[in-house]
Amino acid sequence: MTEITNLGVAALRDGISGGDFTAVEAAEAFNAAVAGASALNAFIVATPDHALESARKVDADRAAGKALGKMAGVPIGMKDLFATKGVQTTAASHILEGFTPEYESTVSQKLWEAGAGMLGKLNLDQFAMGSSNETSYFGNVISPWRRSDGGNTPLAPGGSSGGSSAAVAARLCPAATGTDTGGSIRQPAAFTGITGIKPTYGRCSRWGIVAFASSLDQAGPMARDVRDCAIMLEAMAGFDPKDSTSLDLPVPEWEAGLNADLKGKKVGIPREYRVDGLDADVARSWDEGIAWLKDAGAEVVDISLPHTKYALPAYYIVAPAEASSNLARYDGVRYGLRDLPDGANLQDMYAATRAAGFGAEVKRRILIGTYVLSAGFYDAYYTQAQKVRTLISHDFKNAFADVDVILAPTTPTAAFGLGEMVSDPLAMYLNDVFAVPASLAGLPAMSVPAGLNREGLPLGLQIVGRPFDEQGVLNAGLAIEQRAGFTARPGKWW
Ligand code: GLN
């Protein structure tokens, strides 16, 4: 039998329910992989007992002939942005260090109810702000990938869900949760050769997820392939009265609906994404994707999304504005860190706690956010950005009157070296240039591995779909996956 850690979600689920191995054996194999990979710094804390305990329950249920859940016996990694009862939840920030929630996020609760167990809490960019994992208070994650030229430059796993992407790519877990506000599932998935889907805004409850920009934040699965994402998304999604923006719709059977035959489907290729100076390997990979979708039976047409170039600036107004409001709650009173200098009054304590607790990028976002929301600048920035957001939604609406899905690259380049971009926030923000339009419009979007660039690093292709049409996105993703034949994986050096 292949090593258990080489198996994905579907194979683990089927192997356990078919009696090929036990859930405890699976949990033990992945716990050992996590314990042996501290060099990647993918986990902030490991929770081997959580994984074992839920595995024991699955094995007992199976022995008793009880029905098993969709994720029965599958141990997963949990991005440390999800509140987990009794397990430290930090958002990778010093200000939350030591915070142990009394409650479980809706998404994690649903995953446990589906039979999954938790291997640990995964590292991320602080408060999910970043594209490289370098803003984490707990040190950056290192991608398991290395360039093929033999250099050992440590590479970024992407961000903010960089612990999730690195852990899945390194076979430390078969799947992990991610969250995506402006690309944080798709960009790290693309950088590490894995698959990730951000569903339609509202599909997964935000309750119990540390808030970044509430009108954009969406949870989703990161896994090895499209089927595994479909299975895990079914377990994560669903109406939740505790989240006022939760979609009150039934959860489709996405796994059962998988179908890579795209006959009768139309795929749009947005011309505005073919920017001047587009990386040659990225352009080639996009062309290959177009050919694969044609081969799957789809008709491919050129489309225009005319306001694309305003998406990134609008995102970097809307997201910091919401973040500055959401992060006001970290005041040294209610959660985690409290810095109370001698003789300090309440105001001094707020200031000292926030100065010591937030990292530099988080402070930058709070400053930008409060600035664009301040009297006198509100209309010039925030209102204007909201108008742009509406125009971007209209662009997509017009395009989807004609096409079923849109195909584009996920990122403008493959993974970069750690430290290469930290001193230039604008260059870092450009990583998300292809990801944020779908976020602003609340659309389902996924990244699938498409091939390797000339340095031997993974590239992802992005599929964006109509609201609620995760199935269309997954199916186009499957058509690409079947043709890309992406089997590359990082050699083990950790
Ligand atoms: N990298 C983007 C940012 O820094 C997106 C982050 C995210 O989606 N959480 O805001």
Side-chain angles (χ1 to χ4, degrees):
M1 197 184 75
T2 57
E3 235 182 285
I4 285 182
T5 52
N6 280 330
L7 303 177
V9 173
L12 287 163
R13 175 197 65 185
D14 297 345
I16 291 163
S17 66
D20 299 340
F21 46 87
T22 65
V24 166
E25 283 168 333
E28 282 171 345
F30 283 102
N31 278 340
V34 171
S38 51
L40 298 176
N41 200 30
F43 287 86
I44 294 175
V45 290
T47 54
D49 293 341
H50 189 292
L52 277 174
E53 211 172 294
S54 72
R56 279 191 206 107
K57 182 166 182 317
V58 167
D59 287 338
D61 283 353
R62 183 174 177 274
K66 290 192 191 154
L68 299 180
K70 287 182 200 303
M71 299 275 293
V74 180
I76 58 167
M78 185 62 61
K79 185 177 183 179
D80 200 20
L81 202 63
F82 292 80
T84 42
K85 188 173 177 183
V87 179
Q88 177 185 259
T89 298
T90 66
S93 183
H94 184 38
I95 211 160
L96 277 171
E97 200 173 3
F99 169 58
T100 303
E102 293 297 323
Y103 50 88
E104 189 75 40
S105 80
T106 298
V107 162
S108 53
Q109 182 63 36
K110 279 176 168 291
L111 286 162
W112 312 149
E113 281 164 11
M118 177 164 68
L119 295 160
K121 299 296 293 284
L122 289 158
N123 206 348
L124 65 149
D125 276 297
Q126 193 165 150
F127 282 103
M129 298 170 186
S131 302
S132 65
N133 225 273
E134 288 164 291
T135 71
S136 169
Y137 175 72
F138 299 96
N140 55 262
V141 177
I142 299 179
S143 172
W145 288 87
R146 286 181 164 174
R147 293 188 176 116
S148 56
D149 64 8
N152 289 342
T153 318
L155 300 177
S160 64
S161 312
S164 309
S165 64
V168 173
R171 307 291 198 261
L172 312 184
C173 49
T177 54
T179 62
D180 191 313
T181 302
S184 276
I185 288 176
R186 292 161 283 159
Q187 183 256 17
F191 274 18
T192 55
I194 68 162
T195 309
I197 179 165
K198 175 193 95 70
T200 311
Y201 180 79
R203 268 289 184 208
C204 292
S205 169
R206 289 182 296 107
W207 196 81
I209 302 177
V210 175
F212 167 7
S214 306
S215 76
L216 296 158
D217 297 344
Q218 250 312 280
M222 299 171 72
R224 303 222 184 107
D225 61 23
V226 172
R227 175 174 300 274
D228 286 0
C229 280
I231 296 168
M232 188 160 159
L233 185 58
E234 281 181 37
M236 293 169 71
F239 175 64
D240 179 9
K242 289 190 285 199
D243 170 1
S244 60
T245 59
S246 173
L247 284 172
D248 194 357
L249 289 175
V251 178
E253 296 197 339
W254 289 304
E255 185 192 11
L258 286 175
N259 176 4
D261 180 357
L262 303 185
K263 261 193 244 47
K265 300 287 180 198
K266 249 172 143 176
V267 179
I269 309 299
R271 69 177 77 108
E272 290 78 8
Y273 284 54
R274 210 169 276 274
V275 288
D276 280 346
L278 183 64
D279 179 273
D281 287 332
V282 171
R284 176 188 43 80
S285 150
W286 194 7
D287 290 340
E288 275 171 359
I290 293 170
W292 292 330
L293 292 180
K294 280 185 187 157
D295 184 60
E299 183 192 341
V300 174
V301 298
D302 190 40
I303 59 164
S304 174
L305 299 168
H307 298 92
T308 298
K309 70 172 177 212
Y310 304 113
L312 198 65
Y315 170 82
Y316 275 101
I317 291 173
V318 172
E322 294 187 25
S324 70
S325 164
N326 272 326
L327 270 59
R329 75 191 67 175
Y330 304 105
D331 56 4
V333 177
R334 283 170 288 187
Y335 310 90
L337 185 74
R338 172 175 305 167
D339 198 339
L340 187 60
D342 272 351
N345 64 22
L346 184 66
Q347 284 297 337
D348 298 336
M349 185 199 67
Y350 290 160
T353 302
R354 289 166 69 83
F358 289 136
E361 182 61 28
V362 177
K363 287 177 185 160
R364 179 182 294 124
R365 307 280 178 118
I366 293 173
L367 289 171
I368 296 172
T370 44
Y371 181 79
V372 302
L373 290 174
S374 58
F377 294 109
Y378 188 96
D379 282 342
Y381 291 104
Y382 186 69
T383 309
Q384 198 68 7
Q386 293 290 26
K387 289 179 181 168
V388 169
R389 185 174 186 177
T390 303
L391 292 173
I392 285 163
S393 288
H394 285 167
D395 282 356
F396 280 111
K397 210 166 170 212
N398 292 338
F400 285 125
D402 188 35
V403 301
D404 298 284
V405 291
I406 291 170
L407 178 75
T410 309
T411 56
T413 64
F416 46 85
L418 287 162
E420 278 173 17
M421 288 209 193
V422 266
S423 56
D424 186 351
L426 288 183
M428 189 70 91
Y429 296 172
L430 277 170
N431 267 285
D432 302 309
V433 67
F434 296 145
V436 296
S439 300
L440 288 169
L443 301 172
M446 115 180 274
S447 181
V448 259
L452 298 176
N453 76 353
R454 72 187 91 91
E455 297 177 307
L457 297 180
L459 293 172
L461 281 171
Q462 180 180 208
I463 299 135
V464 182
R466 295 193 177 104
F468 322 121
D469 188 23
E470 285 81 4
Q471 191 74 64
V473 172
L474 291 161
N475 287 351
L478 187 64
I480 290 177
E481 178 181 284
Q482 288 176 353
R483 287 161 182 80
F486 185 90
T487 52
R489 52 185 285 194
K492 188 171 185 302
W493 54 264
W494 54 91

